[in-house]
Each structure stands twice: as C-alpha cells, then as structure tokens.
Amino acid sequence: YQGAASATGYQGAASATGDYGAASATGEASIAVASGIEGKAMGALGCAICLVERGEWDGETYPILSAKAAVVDGKTIKPGVWYTLKGGEFVEVEG
C-alpha cells in the first residue's frame, strides 16, 4: 500500500504493485511499472513506463480495465512527469 520503487541503474526495473504505489525509472534504458489501484509511474528520457487501470471492487478483486506502456520520448510522454491511466489513456498527476 502506497509503496514506492525506483530503477536508477542501467536497464533497471521498478515495480510498484500495491494500491496507490509509485514507480520511477531514472537509470538509462530502465522501466517503471505500476499495477495497483491508482498507481503512477514516471521516467527519464529514453526509459519506459507501464501502467494498469483497475475498476471497482467486484467482490473478489479490482479487475483490470486497461494496461498501457510507452517510451518517455519528451513529446507524448514527458520526462520527470508522473502519469496514471484513466480511460485507457495516460494522464499527468501530481508527484
């Protein structure tokens, strides 16, 4: 719950699997993955982010509604900016 993970080394991976978790990738060619409820991810230029959007509790789980990955290119996905997934699209959020 509200965990944080950071990949700072070359080709590292950071994974935040808990609810409201945050993952960042600042090492060269690294990836940040956030798969819990309202997770967020950010990366440096050339890194990748991967996010999962979850629905409401269905009595057993918070079902996956969508998942999306992208490379931080400086245009579509900005370096050093936190993102979450809403309606299957990346949305900027506060850090």
Side-chain angles (χ1 to χ4, degrees), residues 16-87:
T17 58
D19 299 345
Y20 311 100
S24 65
T26 57
E28 186 177 348
S30 294
I31 185 168
V33 179
S35 62
I37 298 166
E38 293 186 35
K40 61 185 177 181
M42 76 93 132
L45 195 61
C47 290
I49 61 172
C50 180
L51 291 161
V52 172
E53 178 181 16
R54 294 188 175 269
E56 296 295 321
W57 179 255
D58 67 6
E60 293 182 27
T61 189
Y62 292 92
I64 294 173
L65 300 178
S66 65
K68 192 169 189 175
V71 174
V72 180
D73 61 3
K75 296 175 186 171
T76 305
I77 302 296
K78 302 173 201 167
V81 173
W82 289 98
Y83 290 90
T84 193
L85 208 56
K86 298 276 186 198

